[in-house]
């Protein structure tokens, strides 16, 4: 089943409540929340307070992506704020398995992510413990970047590993996804698609999300 997770990094934050309502009406499945700390990535975005506000403004699950160093320090705060999924980077913590356990113990679904230059082999041993795997198809930190073509092979590799385990974990891709290229990522095995500017720049959220679903083969 195809799922679309619009990234509010590209939303109009002066109208965030309206934007969230529009995404819900447009048929989005998740709301992707990019959290950046200025250390793990060269940008600073939002924290638990915005997640809590978003939780009050929408019934959609909040797909919270922690692009931060030592994410274990903040798992409790984001879980308490209402995150449905909390994804951490394998590169950002020394104790990935413990972090994944902590996320689940807090009542959220646990995700793991890797950057474009990180091999899939780094997360092979954690795949049996996560609910979602996120393949970054751009270098994290800023919206509006172009999809890195080599990410398709990483998606295929990850899909093969998940299928070999008969895993129910979702395979998400984030970076440069738009209607024009979503089919390639879907054919490679992804089933959750993060899109920021690819949705928000169109001004027609429902039409764009519907087109993405159709092109992805749903």
């Amino acid at each position: 089943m195809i799922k679309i997770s619009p990234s509010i990094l590209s939303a109009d934050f002066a109208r965030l409540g309206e934007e969230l309502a529009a995404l819900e009406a447009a048929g989005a499945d998740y709301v992707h929340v990019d959290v950046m700390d200025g250390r793990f990535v060269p940008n600073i975005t939002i924290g638990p307070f915005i997640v809590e506000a978003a939780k009050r403004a929408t019934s959609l699950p909040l797909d919270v992506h922690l692009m931060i160093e030592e994410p274990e320090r903040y798992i409790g705060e984001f879980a308490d704020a209402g995150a449905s999924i909390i994804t951490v980077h394998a590169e950002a913590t020394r104790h990935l398995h413990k972090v994944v356990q902590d996320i689940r113990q807090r009542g959220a679904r646990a995700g793991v992510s890797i950057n474009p230059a990180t091999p899939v082999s780094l997360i092979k041993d954690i795949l049996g413990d996560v609910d979602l795997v996120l393949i970054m198809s751009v270098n994290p930190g800023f919206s509006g970047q172009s999809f890195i073509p080599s990410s398709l092979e990483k998606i295929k590799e990850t899909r093969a590993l998940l299928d070999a385990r008969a895993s129910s974990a979702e395979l998400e891709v984030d970076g440069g996804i738009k209607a024009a290229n979503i089919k390639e990522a879907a054919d490679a095995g992804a089933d959750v698609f993060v899109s920021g500017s690819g949705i928000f720049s169109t001004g027609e959220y429902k039409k764009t999300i519907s087109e993405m679903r159709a092109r992805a083969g749903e």
Side-chain angles (χ1 to χ4, degrees):
M1 179 182 175
I2 298 301
K3 292 184 179 178
I4 306 296
S5 186
S7 170
I8 59 171
L9 187 63
S10 297
D12 180 355
F13 271 74
R15 303 171 45 252
L16 185 57
E18 295 172 44
E19 293 275 58
L20 291 168
L23 291 175
E24 194 164 341
D29 298 287
Y30 296 150
V31 172
H32 194 79
V33 184
D34 289 303
V35 178
M36 307 180 191
D37 63 357
R39 295 178 61 208
F40 184 69
V41 293
N43 197 6
I44 298 174
T45 55
I46 62 182
F49 179 78
I50 296 297
V51 172
E52 191 275 332
K55 180 67 175 178
R56 287 187 280 112
T58 183
S59 63
L60 292 174
L62 300 182
D63 176 19
V64 177
H65 180 192
L66 300 185
M67 289 173 271
I68 64 176
E69 295 283 355
E70 299 176 3
E72 55 270 24
R73 297 183 299 160
Y74 300 101
I75 297 304
E77 291 183 53
F78 282 101
D80 290 346
S84 302
I85 306 166
I86 299 176
T87 297
V88 300
H89 273 259
E91 307 93 343
T93 178
R94 295 180 180 179
H95 305 289
L96 183 57
H97 187 266
K98 183 178 185 304
V99 175
V100 166
Q101 285 184 315
D102 288 347
I103 293 170
R104 285 182 151 181
Q105 287 172 1
R106 292 281 186 167
R109 295 171 61 202
V112 62
S113 181
I114 52 174
N115 286 333
T118 301
V120 174
S121 59
L122 184 68
I123 58 171
K124 185 176 180 180
D125 291 339
I126 199 72
L127 292 180
D129 300 291
V130 298
D131 304 292
L132 180 144
V133 181
L134 171 54
I135 303 298
M136 290 300 301
S137 46
V138 298
N139 290 297
F142 298 93
S143 62
Q145 298 181 65
S146 297
F147 183 89
I148 298 173
S150 60
S151 302
L152 294 174
E153 289 303 315
K154 294 178 73 173
I155 295 170
K156 291 177 183 177
E157 183 181 354
T158 306
R159 171 51 63 197
L161 289 171
L162 291 172
D163 288 350
R165 291 176 172 271
S167 172
S168 61
E170 294 179 317
L171 179 50
E172 185 173 59
V173 58
D174 180 2
I177 294 293
K178 56 188 71 173
N181 64 10
I182 193 171
K183 185 179 188 306
E184 296 175 87
D187 288 348
D191 48 24
V192 181
F193 303 88
V194 178
S195 182
S197 58
I199 292 174
F200 286 97
S201 67
T202 69
E204 298 181 278
Y205 304 163
K206 185 176 181 61
K207 178 181 178 182
T208 302
I209 290 173
S210 296
E211 182 179 0
M212 284 181 162
R213 291 191 192 282
R215 292 199 180 195
E218 184 169 286

